[in-house]
Amino acid sequence: MRTLTEGQAELGSVLPELSIDLTPTLIVSTALATMDFTPVHHDVEGARAQGSKDIFLNILTTMGLVERYVTDWIGPEAVIKRINVKLGVPAYAGDRLSFTGTVVDIEDGEYTVEVRGKVSLGDHATATVAFRLHDSGTARPRERA
């Protein structure tokens, strides 16, 4: 995998769509991996008792998936500077989460991508992710002699 260069990431660049099936296993395992033991993320009856139709993604998983969506496109050497996520409708088990994104700003070597994550009920997450393709302040390992 290689990191995009400045000429490959331009204002208006559209990221390829990413769709993820929201299986109960994905929802439960990612909640547990982030140490979120709130019943609405792993207990169907507990979620229903609180007014939800099923278990749903937690915020940490949503943020991780937003970051994954952008970093899969830009590559491993880019540096994420900021992620801002606004949650919308719940992302329930059995649904599909589809991400789309567009580069909306480039200023002083920093790129901003607007990301939208949609499920059948509408927008689950709207986000902005700012990154640099190369961070001159990041130390790189030296080659061995």
Side-chain angles (χ1 to χ4, degrees):
M1 176 180 258
R2 64 187 184 97
T3 301
L4 295 179
T5 62
E6 289 184 27
Q8 295 171 311
E10 299 174 337
L11 193 61
S13 292
V14 176
L15 285 65
E17 183 173 321
L18 171 66
S19 292
I20 300 168
D21 290 326
L22 301 176
T23 65
T25 301
L26 174 78
I27 291 172
V28 172
S29 64
T30 56
L32 296 177
T34 60
M35 298 182 68
D36 185 343
F37 305 113
T38 308
V40 295
H41 303 306
H42 64 84
D43 179 352
V44 174
E45 293 308 315
R48 288 181 181 151
Q50 292 189 30
S52 289
K53 74 174 194 172
D54 206 333
I55 58 174
F56 55 90
L57 282 181
N58 71 351
I59 180 63
L60 292 174
T61 300
T62 298
M63 292 196 62
L65 291 173
V66 166
E67 182 175 2
R68 171 199 165 185
Y69 173 61
V70 175
T71 57
D72 279 359
W73 178 66
I74 58 178
E77 292 183 29
V79 177
I80 299 293
K81 294 299 194 175
R82 286 181 308 286
I83 300 176
N84 296 309
V85 176
K86 180 181 176 187
L87 289 180
V89 299
Y92 289 115
D95 209 340
R96 174 176 280 196
L97 177 58
S98 296
F99 287 103
T100 56
T102 305
V103 177
V104 295
D105 190 37
I106 304 170
E107 186 173 325
D108 295 328
E110 187 168 286
Y111 296 73
T112 302
V113 175
E114 281 186 359
V115 175
R116 174 160 281 137
K118 292 181 128 183
V119 293
S120 63
L121 295 174
D123 287 344
H124 168 63
T126 53
T128 56
V129 179
F131 64 90
R132 289 187 175 279
L133 292 175
H134 172 66
D135 189 6
S136 58
T138 302
R140 294 180 183 251
R142 292 185 191 191
E143 291 184 22
R144 292 185 178 179

